Amino acid sequence: MGLFSFLKKKNDAVAAPSWPPPESRLRSEPSRLASDAERERQREIARATAAKIDEIELEFASDMFDDEPAWDSGRRPANGVTVAAAPDPDDIPDQAAAPASAPAVDESAILYANGQSAAAEQLLRESLATLGSHERLPWWMLFDLYQANGREELFESIAIDYASHFETSPPTWKPIAPASVASQPAQGLAATETFDTLLDATVAPRLRRVLEAQAPNVRLDFGKVRSIDTDGADCLLPALQTLRVSDRGLVLAGADTLITMLRPMLVIGKRGASPAPWLLLLELLLLTNREKDFEEAAMDYCVTYEVSPPSFEAPRHVSTAAPAPSHGDRFMLPAVISSLDPALMGAIEAYAAERDTLVLDCSRLARIEYAGAGSLLARLDAQAAAGRTVELRELNHLVAALLRLLGAGESVRLYPHRY
């Protein structure tokens, strides 16, 4: 959980609070919070605490580390035992489910793959009452199910319970499929740009390369950025605006890092030499679909520059992801993989033809049908047998559980996103 994980209670043997019956949650009956107002108050407190912790962690990280390790280095698996960092963190496989939750994990992954989301949701909810105090995977799967189905209210509800149960900051809402499947850009090669520690005027040629690339998808990774100046904001802002209104898919990795660095640069009522940092913050909040934060920042911008506030417009083809080690251009997978998709399989093979490392970006992938998962793994196993390294990154935990159940993890490396 970052630099402040030592603040957790050390007595993990204490029984977790009892989980309210899932039926009461599904019927929207009152939960253990006294009222809607009290729930909202607790949520705002949790969010404020999480934001402060993130800000402090970022400051410490910039002082202590030249480069952040890959996210899967030393991560905590479902059984609560921390895995020691290996010399090459990329080689650390995904963790399997803990014994107590394995049956629910496997069955719910299959139900979801077969289009039975309601049954998968009910099974996961019921499993939470019987889990050990460290088993987080079913929680993560439930979060992903709600984000894939666009059910923000239920996500926020269990996020507060998760924060209370594990004594950590609650996860934030980041829809897996932000637009309808029909409007998603085609799968295919993604032009990738990973920025260095400083975002300044020197990023202009790199942004131009991305904008001029013919790839149907673009991935911008800000995970290593530690500072940004006005010139950097001036360069990045028009590039993001151009990508937002285009028909290309856009993945923003480490966007929260950039947002955190921009906020201290802004002083309400004090005009700077350029409004670019304000406008870049608004653009990032729009791209990450944070309407409430956008409206608040827009009013502050309006007061500062005495102009009409900009309006919020939900992004169409934008996804968010965690920073990850870069292996050059990636192949973006679509929102849904069906049982028979020869066009997708052919495109993956064409992508693999000239590469030793295959990185399939799953940040937009919401679901794989059961038969489709078998077909995909068969093709990827063949690529691995030919001596290629195969990675699936930014998987949601429902899809990762299904692929692990079908035998992935040895020749095909699985990297689910983090909570």
Side-chain angles (χ1 to χ4, degrees), residues 310-335:
S311 57
F312 181 84
E313 179 182 354
R316 294 183 301 159
H317 301 146
V318 184
S319 304
T320 57
S326 175
H327 293 290
D329 293 337
R330 298 179 171 209
F331 187 95
M332 295 290 300
L333 291 178

Side-chain angles (χ1 to χ4, degrees), residues 377-395:
L377 279 182
R379 298 296 182 96
L380 298 181
D381 284 338
Q383 296 294 340
R388 295 183 175 90
T389 300
V390 182
E391 301 178 355
L392 277 74
R393 290 195 173 269
E394 296 300 327
L395 281 162

Side-chain angles (χ1 to χ4, degrees), residues 98-112:
S101 62
V105 164
D106 293 345
E107 187 176 349
S108 58
I110 294 173
L111 288 170
Y112 179 75

